[in-house]
Amino acid sequence: MWWNVAFPINKKLWTSSFVLCTIGIDLGVLAILICVVPQTTQRRWTYFFEVFGRNTLVIYLLAEAGQIVLQTIHIGHESLFEWLFAVGFAPWAGDEPGSLLYAVVYMLGCWLVAYAMDRKRIYIKL
């Protein structure tokens, strides 16, 4: 976070401060998972995360392409993205919680595609 003072954290540019921050968070989460998930027991609850890990490239491209499509299609004077948020999430959840809920629903939609690919044993790797 100190590097953010000199070089702002920016995801779109993948600045060095963004990379250092996300790697630090990832390593902290990994350390916690290593302690929490014993290697000898059945790990059924981790399947949700394993699905994401098996087709990461496809899910990343799907999320980016889906967002582009949602921004490109217009309903009236709003993009489909704005319309879905304004009609489906903001009225009953509010702005900030609605935004979080929209992101979670979008992520779960991407997970469903990954789950279908995993069930059919389709794995795309480079």
Side-chain angles (χ1 to χ4, degrees):
M1 295 306 291
W2 281 98
W3 186 228
N4 182 41
V5 175
F7 200 59
I9 295 173
N10 188 328
K11 180 181 181 220
K12 288 287 186 185
L13 297 177
W14 273 74
T15 59
S16 57
S17 55
F18 171 77
V19 172
L20 289 173
C21 182
T22 55
I23 287 174
I25 293 168
D26 292 344
L27 288 175
V29 170
L30 183 61
I32 291 168
L33 286 175
I34 287 173
C35 293
V36 170
V37 181
Q39 297 298 318
T40 58
T41 62
Q42 191 74 315
R43 296 179 293 167
R44 286 267 141 236
W45 66 272
T46 60
Y47 180 70
F48 177 83
F49 302 103
E50 291 172 12
V51 167
F52 272 125
R54 290 190 178 126
N55 278 308
T56 54
L57 180 62
V58 172
I59 298 307
Y60 175 76
L61 292 175
L62 172 70
E64 290 293 321
Q67 194 61 29
I68 290 169
V69 168
L70 289 174
Q71 292 288 350
T72 304
I73 298 173
H74 289 283
I75 296 178
H77 64 283
E78 299 180 305
S79 68
L80 182 57
F81 167 76
E82 294 166 341
W83 183 83
L84 283 171
F85 176 73
V87 172
F89 297 95
W92 60 275
D95 287 342
E96 288 83 13
S99 180
L100 175 64
L101 187 61
Y102 176 82
V104 169
V105 168
Y106 191 77
M107 180 267 308
L108 289 174
C110 293
W111 182 85
L112 286 173
V113 173
Y115 177 72
M117 291 177 71
D118 187 53
R119 298 295 284 172
K120 294 182 180 196
R121 300 196 187 285
I122 299 171
Y123 306 113
I124 299 174
K125 298 179 182 182
L126 292 180

